[in-house]
Amino acid sequence: MNSQTSSGQPSRERIERLDRLPVREDLRGKHPYGAPQLDVPILLNVNENTHGVPADARKAILQAVEDSLMDLNRYPDREFTELRRALAAYLGHGLSAENIWAGNGSNEVLQQILQAFAGSGRTVLGFPPTYSMYPLLASGTGTAYLSGQRSADFTLTADSAAEQVRRLSPHVVFLCSPNNPTGTALGLDVVKAVYSAGEASQTVVVVDEAYAEFAHDGAPSALSLLPGRERLIVTRTMSKAFALAGARLGYLAAAEEISDALRLVRLPYHLSAITQATAVAALRNSDSLLANVEAIKVQRDRIVQELQRLGLDPAPSDSNFVFFGGLNDPQAVWAGLLAAGVLVRDVGIAGHLRVTAGTEAETSAFLAELARLLGRQNPAVVLE
């Protein structure tokens, strides 16, 4: 039976059958989000934490989940109170549980934001290249997606971003920092300028900080800007630094009334008791879970250095991945790496690929194979 291609996209036959269904007109011709899920030894394409969950944290999570099973016949805490308290304590910045909201991954949190503040007849502004889910979330909520402009080097300045917000008057704007797929962080001047520019249109400003824990030392967070800015939202995730991509827990920090707005659109009991138990146990073991962040940053910086040595053009990265250009045929390089058992991400930008910073061994394998494909000296053996 014909179903899906290896990339996870529907086959031609499935698309034809889909087109016969009475789906919404604005969804016709759309494609779902989906990075290739292939069975290869080294997966460096979706920015997962490749170190996995440490043994002590696994033990604590297992115990918390086992304890939660006692009441699995009852609905979970609808307000996930203990989790919100734990997240507020982790973030600091004077935040309380009332400033926190959570969902099944940051994508659900972003979706709820659009359900509450966007929707039919409203607009959301993003600045591509950026996280590819933004237009899909807009489409799913009936929101018109506006594509803003970046500089030729994919950066975004305060003046440019603010001018676009004033001109387009979006109801919601997404600022991804560090940006995906480029890995570059925004200065707080950009966030402040965009927030001020959206005053007249009452634009809700969402700063997506999914990769914030991987930023270079001293990099500021938009969390510091929350006081006095009721339309500012900072979203985070436990998928990346906490190595909990499979647990699906995303969250936000904002003014208390933001959570009140999201309660109007969330599904009842949307966070399961097992999800809540897992996340709380992980936060209680944050030191253990975050211990690998510095090791990942070392490999991230190593990739940047070695790509430069190979004559390529990596972007500065404050994330756990590296976006790099200078490739004459990125599709051929992607295919060559895959043939060698290394899966990276083709983000559809001419001359560029993106690679997750993996373990030291995974990074060495990627660099060695890339050097071979480019016909250059193996950087793994020329490190100073």
Side-chain angles (χ1 to χ4, degrees), residues 135-300:
L136 294 177
L137 290 167
S139 175
T141 56
T143 309
Y145 184 77
L146 306 176
S147 294
Q149 301 295 316
R150 291 177 178 265
S151 301
D153 62 355
F154 306 122
T155 57
L156 184 64
T157 66
D159 288 344
S160 173
E163 186 279 326
Q164 294 179 69
V165 169
R166 282 191 294 268
R167 174 166 47 85
L168 297 171
S169 298
H171 295 85
V172 178
V173 59
F174 286 135
L175 297 174
C176 192
S177 180
N179 186 46
N180 181 7
T182 62
T184 50
L186 292 174
L188 293 187
D189 61 325
V190 178
V191 180
K192 290 187 285 189
V194 165
Y195 189 88
S196 296
E199 187 70 39
S201 54
Q202 288 292 283
T203 298
V204 172
V205 179
V206 181
V207 184
D208 183 349
E209 292 190 345
Y211 300 93
E213 285 91 348
F214 299 102
H216 287 90
D217 293 343
S221 166
L223 291 170
S224 64
L225 301 180
L226 287 174
R229 293 182 172 88
E230 72 279 357
R231 292 178 288 104
L232 179 62
I233 301 172
V234 180
T235 62
R236 293 282 187 98
T237 183
M238 295 185 74
S239 292
K240 310 301 181 181
F242 278 85
L244 292 178
R248 311 308 302 130
L249 197 290
Y251 59 101
L252 65 76
E256 298 175 6
E257 55 267 35
I258 293 293
S259 293
D260 292 334
L262 301 188
R263 286 184 177 93
L264 301 175
V265 299
R266 60 99 177 263
L267 294 175
Y269 311 104
H270 71 288
L271 281 180
S272 75
I274 292 175
T275 298
Q276 293 182 43
T278 298
V280 170
L283 288 161
R284 288 174 178 166
N285 290 267
S286 60
D287 288 346
S288 175
L289 280 160
L290 297 176
N292 287 320
V293 167
E294 290 304 316
I296 292 169
K297 289 164 68 174
V298 168
Q299 297 308 313
R300 184 262 323 273

Side-chain angles (χ1 to χ4, degrees), residues 48-130:
E48 296 160 323
N49 186 326
T50 59
H51 287 263
V53 179
D56 56 345
R58 286 203 307 271
K59 183 178 179 181
I61 291 170
L62 282 171
Q63 185 61 57
V65 170
E66 183 177 353
D67 292 344
S68 74
L69 297 180
M70 295 294 295
D71 297 314
L72 210 58
N73 59 310
R74 303 295 184 185
Y75 285 114
D77 175 10
R78 186 176 57 237
E79 294 302 312
F80 43 98
T81 308
E82 186 179 8
L83 174 56
R84 287 191 292 118
R85 288 173 182 157
L87 286 168
Y90 167 69
L91 290 179
H93 290 273
L95 297 167
S96 73
E98 298 304 313
N99 299 117
I100 305 298
W101 188 257
N104 294 285
S106 58
N107 284 327
E108 182 177 58
V109 173
L110 295 172
Q111 181 185 58
Q112 290 172 340
I113 291 170
L114 293 187
Q115 287 174 317
F117 298 106
S120 179
R122 296 193 172 199
T123 59
V124 58
L125 173 64
F127 296 92
T130 191

